[in-house]
């Protein structure tokens, strides 16, 4: 087969023409058109800053009190909606609690050996949303800890 310019076209061009001629165009064109329109609309909305639908998620909050430690940890629903972030917070919470509990038990033992009154420790971390756009979620934590001394300490992280 030759093109109008005199160039030879191979069997690939013939196969493409044959497939196009034999395909059920009516249903495929409509569904392809709808899929393309939906994809284009989603892209345009994201670029315009419209929020994407988020699966329903809930904020997380844990609060426990024992003779050694008062412990609290929380994060907002927006963080729960990101599985990797929620898992990171769960791991961090476990490590923080284990460390705080170990320190409190050691301090209680030392206080008993020194005939000194033991004051229960406290650790509280709360994550809050500082910015939330379709492409960016910013969180800040406020941490309060008390280890039995004259006063507690507050810290922040992002």
């Amino acid at each position: 087969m030759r093109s109008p310019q005199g160039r030879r076209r191979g069997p690939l061009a013939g196969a493409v023409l044959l497939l196009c001629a034999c395909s059920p165009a009516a249903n495929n064109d409509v569904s392809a058109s709808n899929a393309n329109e939906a994809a284009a609309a989603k892209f345009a909305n994201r670029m315009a800053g419209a929020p994407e639908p988020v699966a329903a998620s809930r904020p997380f909050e844990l609060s426990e009190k024992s003779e050694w430690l008062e412990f609290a940890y929380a994060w907002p629903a927006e963080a729960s909606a990101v599985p990797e972030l929620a898992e990171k917070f769960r791991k961090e919470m476990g490590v923080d609690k284990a460390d705080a509990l170990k320190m409190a038990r050691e301090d209680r033992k030392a206080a008993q050996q020194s005939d000194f009154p033991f004051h229960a420790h406290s650790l509280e971390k709360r994550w809050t949303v500082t910015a939330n756009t379709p492409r960016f979620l910013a969180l800040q934590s406020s941490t309060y800890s008390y280890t039995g001394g004259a006063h507690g300490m507050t810290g922040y992280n992002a």
Side-chain angles (χ1 to χ4, degrees):
M1 179 186 298
R2 292 193 178 269
S3 70
Q5 291 83 15
R7 284 183 262 158
R8 189 160 199 240
R9 294 194 180 189
L12 181 61
V16 169
L17 289 173
L18 181 63
L19 286 174
C20 290
C22 296
S23 65
N27 288 340
N28 285 346
D29 286 347
V30 171
S31 62
S33 176
N34 289 343
N36 288 339
E37 287 177 16
K42 182 177 178 183
F43 178 77
N45 288 340
R46 193 175 77 213
M47 291 298 108
E52 289 190 37
V54 177
S57 54
R58 296 177 182 219
F60 174 86
E61 185 160 358
L62 172 72
S63 184
E64 301 176 344
K65 188 173 184 176
S66 72
E67 60 184 299
W68 298 288
L69 178 66
E70 187 172 342
F71 182 80
Y73 204 100
W75 63 78
E78 292 87 346
S80 292
V82 181
E84 297 85 1
L85 190 54
E87 182 62 25
K88 176 188 183 307
F89 286 161
R90 284 188 197 289
K91 287 179 182 176
E92 181 181 279
M93 176 180 62
V95 169
D96 288 353
K97 182 180 176 186
D99 289 347
L101 195 52
K102 180 182 176 190
M103 181 185 231
R105 286 182 173 153
E106 289 172 355
D107 283 356
R108 182 176 186 184
K109 184 178 178 183
Q112 287 174 338
Q113 291 172 348
S114 302
D115 203 26
F116 189 79
F118 172 75
H119 300 287
H121 290 202
S122 180
L123 178 62
E124 179 180 321
K125 183 178 281 188
R126 296 193 180 279
W127 287 94
T128 57
V129 175
T130 57
N132 189 5
T133 71
R135 297 177 56 188
F136 182 75
L137 173 64
L139 301 170
Q140 176 181 341
S141 72
S142 174
T143 305
Y144 172 79
S145 66
Y146 175 73
T147 57
H151 55 84
M153 297 170 283
T154 301
Y156 301 93
N157 200 353

